[in-house]
Amino acid sequence: MTNIIKTVNLSKSFFLKKNLNILKKINIEIKKGELVALLGPSGSGKSTFLHMIALLDQPSNGEIFFEGKKTSLMNDVEKDEMRGKKISIVYQQNNLLNDFTSLENVAIAMISSGKNKDFAINTAKKILKKVGLSKRLDHFPNDLSVGEQQRVAIARAAINKPQLILADEPTGSLDQSTAKEIFNLFLKFKSQNRSIIYATHNRELVDKADYKLKIIDGNIRRSNE
Ligand SMILES: Nc1ncnc2c1ncn2[C@@H]1O[C@H](COP(=O)(O)OP(=O)(O)OP(=O)(O)O)[C@@H](O)[C@H]1O
Ligand SMILES: [Mg+2]
């Protein structure tokens, strides 16, 4: 099994007065260890696509296979478990828990996957150090800059070492050198045969992907250039 994700005629429409066909019969395969940049203009469907792959949103039509398994057959409990252990998403908008510190926001992801609390706290400290936030462990989200919040969200997504990380413009508010640090985390994940799909407009980071997926008029095209 080398595929982590395969979609078959994956489609998504929204109905708002009239039918909006955002994604039309998408057929793609993402292999283990692939680092993929997801491109497309604003409103083209990048977040929609990532949310469906994260099993947070239902396709209108078609199927998503995760490690060869039909996800349409999974119930909500199974999907939650997948998201806890195998798939992580970094949302485009900050999605941290406001009443918890940076350290707690990251550690909770590990505690809720069943790990021991002290181990989770220690692991969270290490990963927050990697994203440059050792001095912000006790800050609540509202007392962090937007870029710092993004980095906490990335640390939270990475702590359980998921097979697949979906990152929706994870470096949107970061300066170039911090963005590169984050990207190094992605490269490390890739070296462990994990897969990453990241939506970004950052040209430099786009060029570091193994390949690009471009959403154009509801279709996804793969490009190596
Ligand atoms: N719940 C919804 N109901 C109706 N339309 C929606 C809904 N969610 C998204 N859309 C529409 O679907 C399209 C795709 O949205 P999406 O958020 O996936 O775009 P995006 O490529 O992530 O854009 P951006 O680069 O601005 O983040 C947009 O035109 C949006 O208005
Ligand atoms: Mg988006």
Side-chain angles (χ1 to χ4, degrees):
M1 170 55 58
T2 52
N3 278 335
I4 183 104
I5 287 286
K6 179 179 171 181
T7 69
V8 177
N9 293 332
L10 179 67
S11 303
K12 184 71 180 178
S13 307
F14 293 110
F15 190 81
L16 223 69
K17 289 191 183 159
K18 65 185 177 91
N19 216 23
L20 295 168
N21 299 316
I22 303 298
L23 297 171
K24 304 170 196 165
K25 298 193 176 177
I26 306 289
N27 294 290
I28 55 142
E29 285 183 22
I30 309 281
K31 295 201 172 69
K32 292 196 174 176
E34 283 185 343
L35 181 61
V36 181
L38 180 63
L39 309 180
S42 176
S44 59
K46 300 180 297 297
S47 296
T48 303
F49 177 73
L50 293 176
H51 289 188
M52 281 197 293
I53 300 292
L55 312 181
L56 291 162
D57 206 0
Q58 290 277 357
S60 306
N61 264 302
E63 183 66 71
I64 300 166
F65 294 86
F66 186 87
E67 293 182 327
K69 198 174 164 199
K70 265 191 186 181
T71 59
S72 65
L73 299 177
M74 292 180 190
N75 62 33
D76 286 349
V77 176
E78 288 172 302
K79 284 183 187 172
D80 282 348
E81 202 177 295
M82 286 282 264
R83 266 196 310 277
K85 294 192 175 144
K86 297 201 163 181
I87 309 175
S88 276
I89 185 162
V90 181
Y91 292 90
Q92 189 167 10
Q93 278 111 12
N94 164 29
N95 187 246
L96 301 173
L97 303 165
N98 279 321
D99 297 334
F100 293 88
T101 64
S102 305
L103 182 60
E104 289 165 347
N105 262 284
V106 177
I108 282 166
M110 189 171 235
I111 293 167
S112 59
S113 80
K115 294 283 192 321
N116 165 285
K117 188 176 160 206
D118 290 342
F119 177 69
I121 297 272
N122 276 330
T123 314
K125 279 184 189 162
K126 276 188 210 151
I127 195 152
L128 280 162
K129 186 173 181 192
K130 279 192 196 142
V131 298
L133 290 179
S134 280
K135 297 198 169 127
R136 295 289 181 272
L137 300 184
D138 298 327
H139 283 229
F140 290 92
N142 288 332
D143 305 326
L144 293 169
S145 74
V146 176
E148 287 169 343
Q149 291 172 13
Q150 261 180 351
R151 283 183 275 159
V152 174
I154 290 161
R156 181 180 60 178
I159 192 166
N160 287 332
K161 297 201 173 233
Q163 289 302 317
L164 175 64
I165 288 194
L166 305 164
D168 202 348
E169 305 204 24
T171 59
S173 303
L174 303 181
D175 59 273
Q176 198 67 358
S177 89
T178 314
K180 270 191 194 156
E181 291 295 318
I182 296 300
F183 203 77
N184 286 339
L185 262 187
F186 290 172
L187 288 173
K188 191 165 169 215
F189 264 72
K190 175 179 163 58
S191 74
Q192 296 164 343
N193 209 29
R194 303 172 200 281
S195 315
I196 301 104
I197 309 176
Y198 61 104
T200 186
H201 294 289
N202 183 325
R203 194 70 240 173
E204 210 173 309
L205 297 189
V206 167
D207 289 339
K208 290 185 173 159
D210 294 330
Y211 60 89
K212 296 152 203 141
L213 291 176
K214 289 187 188 168
I215 307 186
I216 301 165
D217 297 330
N219 300 300
I220 292 193
R221 233 179 288 148
R222 180 177 163 148
S223 115
N224 295 313
E225 86 226 18

